[in-house]
Amino acid sequence: MKYHTICAFYPVSWSVPLKSVEVELEVRAHVATVVSTLNYENKEDKPLEAVFVFPLPGDAAVCHFSAKIGQTEIVAEVKEKQKAREEYDDALSSGQQAFLLEESDQSPDIFSLSVGSLRPGESASIRLEYVTELAVQADEGLRFCLPAVLNPRYQPRGSEDVCIQVTSVPASLVPYSLSFSARVSSPRPVSKVESNCPLDALQYLNTEQTQATVKLAAGHKFDRDVELLIYYKDAHQPTAVVEVGQASAKPGTLMGDPVVMLSLYPEFPQAVMSSVASSGEFVFLLDRSGSMDARMNNSESHQTRIGSARVFIFVPLTHLPMGCYFNIYSFGSSHEHIFPKSVEYSQKTMEEALKKVEEMDANLGGTEILMPLKHIYSQPCIPSQPRQLFVFTDGEVGNTKEVINLVKKNSGSHRCFSFGIGEGASSALINGLAKEGGGHAQFITGTDRMQPKVMQSLRFALQPAVVDISVKWDLPKGVSVTALSPPITALFQGQRSLVYAQLTGKSLAAEGCVTVKYSLAGHPTQNQLHFSLKPAEDTGITVHRLGARSLIRSLEMEERERGGERDGEVKKKVVELSVQSGVSSAFTAFIAVNKGNGEAIQGPLVRRNVPTPSECFFPKLKLMWMLLPISTSFILRDMFRLSPFTLGPPMFQCNSISIEHKQPPRDPLLQLVSLQKASGCWVLDPALAAALGKTSEEVEKPKPALEVWATIVALIWLHGFKMDAQEEWELLAMKAVSWLRAQNAPCVTECVEAGNALLGCNMQKDALGL
C-alpha cells in the first residue's frame, strides 16, 4: 500500500521560514479572484530552500506568480514543466535564487511552491493569484472555499509509485498566521455573507448595497477551510459577459479575441416538473476508510464523518419513490454491498438496508474507490430504471485522475452525485466525479445543515434525464464562435451551467443570441438568451483566463484518454495554450529566476518543508508508531482504526482524538422522517407522538382511521412548524399525499380539523396538497 501524498509530521523545534499568509478575495457576481501573499524570512545562519505543498480549489485557474526580494520583483513565466524544473535546479546549483510553482501530476488541487534560496536574514514575499467560479448552493448562496487543510491522499495497491512530500502539523500548531479579507460587488444588492469562521461585520460601500467588504475576525486559526457563502437579491438569472482581448495579443488567438461567458439557468416546462420520477436505480457508495472516523471539523460538538455519512444515506433512502430500485455499497481497502444486486424499494428492503447502514463503521482501511466503482459499472443496468450514483467520501484519494476517467468512461450509463465530507475533501475529486458523471457536487463540513444539500441532489436525480443537448449560436455576419467549454452533458432545473466561447471577427450589430436545445422526458425543449456584444468594462482578462482554464482541462482529459498517442499532440496544445494564456496546467509550471547582481549565494543549502494543517491521526500500535522513522511513520494512517492518545514533547505535539463520540441530540425533523413508511404513510405509535412533541394519549385521543390520521397530523406538523426547511421534506410530503389519495378515505376533513386542534395550527386541505 502506498500514498501519493506522504505526510510527515513537523517537529516543533524546526524553524519555519514562512511567517504569514495574506489573502485578498475579490468577488464580482459569481467569479472570484484570489491574491495570496506568502511572506518568508530566513532566521537561520545558513541559506534555505523552503518547500510548501498546499491545496487550491481543483477548478482554479492559477494565472500569476511573482517574488519580491527587497525592492526587486521577479515575475514568473509559464514554461513546460520539465524545462521549468531544470531551470530551477540549474539556478540553485549556480548560486542564484529561483522560485517554482507547479501543479501535482496526480491531482489538480495540490500545488508545490519551492523558494530557493534565501540568504541568512533575508526576506521574500511571494504573490500567487488565481481565478475561479463560485458554485451555487441549495439555498442559492454562492460558495467560495479557501482550502487550508491538506490531508494525506491514499494511493491504492498497484498504482504508480509517485509521491509528494507533505509536512503536516495539527491545525492548532500551524506556525504562521493567516489574514483574509474579501470585497464583494454585484449588479444586484448583497444580502448577506456567512462563513464557517468568525467574521467581522459586513461593511457596505455604497447606499445601493451592491458593494461590500468583510474579513476574518482576529485570531483565526488554520483549523478548517475558510468558507464564505455570499447571497445576492434575485441574482440567479441568465447572464452574459463579453470581455475584450489583450491589446498585446494577436487577433485570432484566444487572448487576442473577445471571450464570452454565459451563465445559463434552464427553466423546464411545468407540466414535466410537476410529476416526480417514480423510477430509477439509486446506488449509494459510502466511504468507510479509517479517516472517516475523524470529526467533521475540530469542534468537539460535531459528529464523525462516518456518522454524517450514515445520515446522508438515511435521508435520501427514506425519500425514494415506490417502484424504484436501490443498493448500498461501502469501501475502504476492500468493498462490500448490502444486496447482491439492486432490489426493489419496499418497506422490507428499506428497513433491512437502514439496519445495516446503522451498523457501518470506519473500519475498512484505505481509500480505494476505483474497485467498487468498477464493480458497480459491471452490473447490468435495469431496463427503464435510470441509474443514479451517490458517492459519499472524505476525498482522501491519491489516484484522482484515474477515478475521474473511469466515471467519464461510464457517463453514458448513469449520473453521478458526489459529496465531499469534512475538512480537506479533495475538490478535484468531488467536482470531477459530478462533472464527468453529469451530476452535481456538494461539500459538507461540520457547520452545515446537510439535509438541504442531500435533498437538492436527490431532487436533481429524480428529474428526468436531459438528452440531446445542443448549443446554437446566432451571431451577426462576420462574427464566428469557437467553443472553449466541453459540450454540456447535464442540465437541471434552475441550476447554473457555464459556457465559454471565443468570438472572432467584427460586426456593427449589437446583439447575439444563444439557444440551448434538449429533450426532456420526450418533450423537445429550448431556452434562449439574447446578449449584448458590447464588452463589459473593468473585467481585465478574468473571463479569458477562465475560458483558457476550461479548454486546458478538456484537453488534459483528452490526453489522458489517448494515453499520449500521436506523439503527445494534445499535450503540446495544452503547453502552448498554457504559455499563451499564462494559466497553469498539468504539463506546465511557473518559474522565476533572480539573477540579481551576479553574486552567488555561498554555503550548503538547507531544505525546510513548510507544514500544512492536517487532521491528526495515529494507529492503535502506539509503540510501533513512535519507533518508526519520521520518513515512514506517518504514511500509515488510513490502514488503522484510530485510538485516543497524544504524542507529546519533545518531538511532537498533537491534539488527542477519541473514537467514543457522543451522539448529538436527535433532530425532531429527522426523527419524524425516520418514522415514515416506504409507502409514504405514518403509523400511530409513541415514537410519532414524541416526534410531534405530544404524549401518546394526546395523539391517540381523536381515534379516526389510524394510518390516515397519523399521516395527516404529520403533514400538518411539517407545514405548520418546518416551512423554513421545506426543501428537506417536500418529497416525503408528496409521497404521503399520493398515499392518502390512494386510500380514498372519507375522513380527511375530520382528520385535518382534529390535527389543527391538536397542534394549534390552522392548515387548510389545499395547503397540504389534499
Side-chain angles (χ1 to χ4, degrees):
M1 298 183 184
K2 299 168 286 185
Y3 274 89
H4 127 237
T5 301
I6 292 184
C7 183
F9 273 68
Y10 162 80
V12 175
S13 61
W14 285 4
S15 174
V16 179
L18 178 60
K19 298 304 176 185
S20 64
V21 179
E22 302 166 8
V23 179
E24 296 177 352
L25 167 68
E26 182 174 2
V27 176
R28 293 193 176 189
H30 56 254
V31 173
T33 301
V34 182
V35 177
S36 296
T37 303
L38 295 87
N39 299 306
Y40 289 82
E41 181 183 2
N42 181 7
K43 290 189 173 182
E44 300 189 47
D45 58 0
K46 54 183 78 69
L48 297 182
E49 178 190 23
V51 179
F52 186 24
V53 178
F54 58 95
L56 283 181
D59 54 359
V62 179
C63 52
H64 176 87
F65 176 55
S66 61
K68 188 173 183 179
I69 300 175
Q71 298 303 311
T72 304
E73 183 176 14
I74 312 102
V75 178
E77 299 177 75
V78 178
K79 296 186 178 182
E80 192 275 328
K81 184 177 282 187
Q82 189 56 38
K83 290 182 180 178
R85 289 171 175 171
E86 292 172 359
E87 187 173 335
Y88 176 82
D89 291 338
D90 290 345
L92 264 59
S93 63
S94 62
Q96 294 177 319
Q97 290 179 319
F99 309 88
L100 180 70
L101 178 69
E102 57 181 313
E103 177 185 309
S104 161
D105 292 329
Q106 277 65 50
S107 185
D109 62 347
I110 298 178
F111 278 73
S112 176
L113 168 60
S114 300
V115 175
S117 53
L118 289 179
R119 295 180 176 88
E122 191 170 47
S123 298
S125 291
I126 308 299
R127 180 184 170 97
L128 167 66
E129 181 177 338
Y130 64 86
V131 293
T132 187
E133 304 140 357
L134 303 184
V136 182
Q137 301 300 286
D139 60 0
E140 297 192 338
L142 293 170
R143 179 181 186 265
F144 167 79
C145 181
L146 177 69
V149 176
L150 178 56
N151 294 321
R153 307 284 174 85
Y154 183 83
Q155 188 74 7
R157 293 162 292 187
S159 298
E160 266 185 66
D161 190 9
V162 180
C163 296
I164 295 177
Q165 181 74 37
V166 178
T167 305
S168 298
V169 293
S172 61
L173 296 179
V174 171
Y176 43 88
S177 62
L178 170 69
S179 64
F180 175 90
S181 61
R183 181 187 177 103
V184 181
S185 60
S186 169
R188 297 173 178 85
V190 180
S191 299
K192 59 181 177 178
V193 176
E194 297 178 346
S195 178
N196 62 329
C197 302
L199 296 176
D200 287 346
L202 186 68
Q203 301 289 326
Y204 288 106
L205 303 180
N206 57 5
T207 55
E208 296 82 8
Q209 297 188 345
T210 58
Q211 297 183 22
T213 60
V214 70
K215 62 181 180 179
L216 279 180
H220 173 77
K221 299 291 185 181
F222 271 93
D223 61 347
R224 67 195 67 183
D225 297 343
V226 178
E227 182 182 69
L228 287 189
L229 296 175
I230 302 166
Y231 297 85
Y232 302 132
K233 293 180 181 177
D234 303 320
H236 303 302
Q237 303 295 327
T239 59
V241 175
V242 178
E243 185 179 81
V244 296
Q246 283 181 304
S248 59
K250 183 180 178 181
T253 64
L254 187 150
M255 301 306 290
D257 283 343
V259 169
V260 59
M261 176 178 66
L262 303 176
S263 302
L264 306 174
Y265 291 84
E267 291 294 331
F268 296 164
Q270 186 60 37
V272 177
M273 295 306 298
S274 60
S275 58
V276 176
S278 60
S279 62
E281 180 194 11
F282 296 85
V283 180
F284 303 96
L285 180 58
L286 173 63
D287 187 345
R288 290 174 57 193
S289 62
S291 56
M292 289 289 287
D293 218 349
R295 291 191 183 276
M296 292 291 286
N297 62 32
N298 287 330
S299 170
E300 288 295 311
S301 64
H302 288 111
Q303 62 183 341
T304 61
R305 297 174 185 175
I306 189 67
S308 296
R310 285 194 290 260
V311 176
F312 283 137
I313 299 288
F314 163 78
V315 172
L317 195 58
T318 55
H319 288 73
L320 291 180
M322 296 293 287
C324 73
Y325 287 73
F326 79 100
N327 202 352
I328 300 174
Y329 291 76
S330 57
F331 70 93
S333 298
S334 59
H335 62 273
E336 302 174 357
H337 45 74
I338 289 182
F339 304 108
K341 61 180 182 179
S342 293
V343 297
E344 188 171 356
Y345 181 70
S346 67
Q347 185 65 30
K348 178 183 177 182
T349 56
M350 182 188 77
E351 288 180 352
E352 182 178 351
L354 288 176
K355 181 179 179 181
K356 292 184 177 179
V357 167
E358 187 64 27
E359 297 169 353
M360 288 182 176
D361 210 342
N363 56 358
L364 292 187
T367 314
E368 298 194 29
I369 192 174
L370 201 62
M371 292 311 296
L373 282 173
K374 288 180 177 179
H375 179 81
I376 290 169
Y377 294 142
S378 72
Q379 303 300 303
C381 292
I382 303 171
S384 302
Q385 302 285 347
R387 179 173 288 170
Q388 319 286 348
L389 175 62
F390 289 73
V391 179
F392 306 91
T393 177
D394 61 12
E396 298 185 12
V397 173
N399 54 343
T400 300
K401 293 181 179 179
E402 191 177 0
V403 172
I404 292 172
N405 287 348
L406 179 65
V407 172
K408 181 177 182 180
K409 182 180 177 181
N410 292 274
S411 60
S413 65
H414 79 304
R415 291 190 289 192
C416 182
F417 299 87
S418 54
F419 297 84
I421 302 175
E423 302 292 342
S426 167
S427 59
L429 176 72
I430 303 306
N431 287 327
L433 290 173
K435 180 179 179 181
E436 301 303 336
H440 185 64
Q442 303 274 17
F443 291 86
I444 316 291
T445 59
T447 57
D448 287 317
R449 184 169 178 82
M450 63 189 72
Q451 290 93 310
K453 296 189 176 186
V454 180
M455 291 308 303
Q456 182 187 43
S457 291
L458 181 59
R459 284 195 299 272
F460 286 164
L462 289 170
Q463 290 180 16
V466 175
V467 297
D468 301 329
I469 304 172
S470 64
V471 177
K472 180 184 177 183
W473 297 83
D474 185 7
L475 298 172
K477 187 176 181 180
V479 179
S480 61
V481 63
T482 302
L484 302 176
S485 305
I488 299 175
T489 57
L491 288 173
F492 298 106
Q493 166 75 14
Q495 183 64 15
R496 185 189 66 198
S497 294
L498 288 173
V499 176
Y500 296 94
Q502 176 182 343
L503 303 177
T504 303
K506 295 183 178 180
S507 173
L508 296 177
E511 189 177 87
C513 178
V514 65
T515 303
V516 181
K517 295 184 177 182
Y518 49 92
S519 180
L520 179 68
H523 300 275
T525 308
Q526 68 177 37
N527 297 129
Q528 276 191 338
L529 174 62
H530 293 267
F531 62 94
S532 171
L533 290 174
K534 182 181 178 180
E537 297 180 359
D538 301 326
T539 60
I541 54 173
T542 300
V543 172
H544 280 74
R545 287 166 167 168
L546 289 171
R549 188 282 318 270
S550 180
L551 182 55
I552 284 170
R553 293 300 187 221
S554 297
L555 290 171
E556 287 173 347
M557 177 68 76
E558 184 180 341
E559 170 71 8
R560 293 200 297 273
E561 290 175 342
R562 290 185 176 185
E565 294 176 3
R566 291 168 39 179
D567 299 322
E569 178 183 328
V570 177
K571 180 179 178 180
K572 293 177 184 177
K573 287 183 181 178
V574 172
V575 172
E576 180 181 340
L577 180 58
S578 178
V579 171
Q580 177 198 145
S581 63
V583 171
S584 63
S585 75
F587 307 129
T588 55
F590 284 91
I591 176 67
V593 177
N594 180 22
K595 296 182 171 60
N597 57 12
E599 182 182 343
I601 298 174
Q602 302 297 321
L605 194 62
V606 177
R607 175 176 171 136
R608 290 287 182 253
N609 294 323
V610 177
T612 56
S614 174
E615 301 288 350
C616 189
F617 302 106
F618 301 101
K620 286 183 178 179
L621 303 181
K622 175 180 177 182
L623 180 60
M624 182 196 78
W625 187 263
M626 295 181 70
L627 293 176
L628 286 173
I630 189 170
S631 59
T632 58
S633 62
F634 293 97
I635 67 174
L636 307 175
R637 174 180 58 79
D638 246 353
M639 303 179 195
F640 299 85
R641 290 296 306 283
L642 311 180
S643 62
F645 67 85
T646 300
L647 284 182
M651 286 189 63
F652 304 97
Q653 295 179 9
C654 180
N655 295 336
S656 62
I657 297 175
S658 172
I659 61 172
E660 297 299 327
H661 304 300
K662 294 181 180 180
Q663 292 298 319
R666 192 77 184 270
D667 185 328
L669 178 56
L670 273 180
Q671 193 173 353
L672 186 69
V673 169
S674 70
L675 297 173
Q676 189 186 38
K677 301 299 181 183
S679 63
C681 73
W682 277 268
V683 297
L684 197 62
D685 60 19
L688 176 65
L692 299 174
K694 300 294 180 180
T695 65
S696 296
E697 292 75 15
E698 288 175 310
V699 175
E700 293 173 1
K701 187 176 180 180
K703 291 289 185 184
L706 295 185
E707 289 187 356
V708 172
W709 157 244
T711 303
I712 288 177
V713 77
L715 283 175
I716 293 173
W717 186 86
L718 291 171
H719 283 83
F721 300 103
K722 291 295 178 180
M723 283 303 293
D724 60 334
Q726 185 178 6
E727 70 276 8
E728 300 179 36
W729 52 261
E730 60 184 351
L731 290 179
L732 63 85
M734 292 172 66
K735 282 175 65 173
V737 169
S738 295
W739 180 86
L740 285 167
R741 287 174 178 166
Q743 307 312 302
N744 198 24
C747 59
V748 169
T749 300
E750 178 189 351
C751 288
V752 172
E753 291 174 353
N756 281 325
L758 174 68
L759 300 175
C761 296
N762 188 27
M763 303 303 303
Q764 303 299 315
K765 285 199 303 181
D766 57 349
L768 300 174
L770 302 176

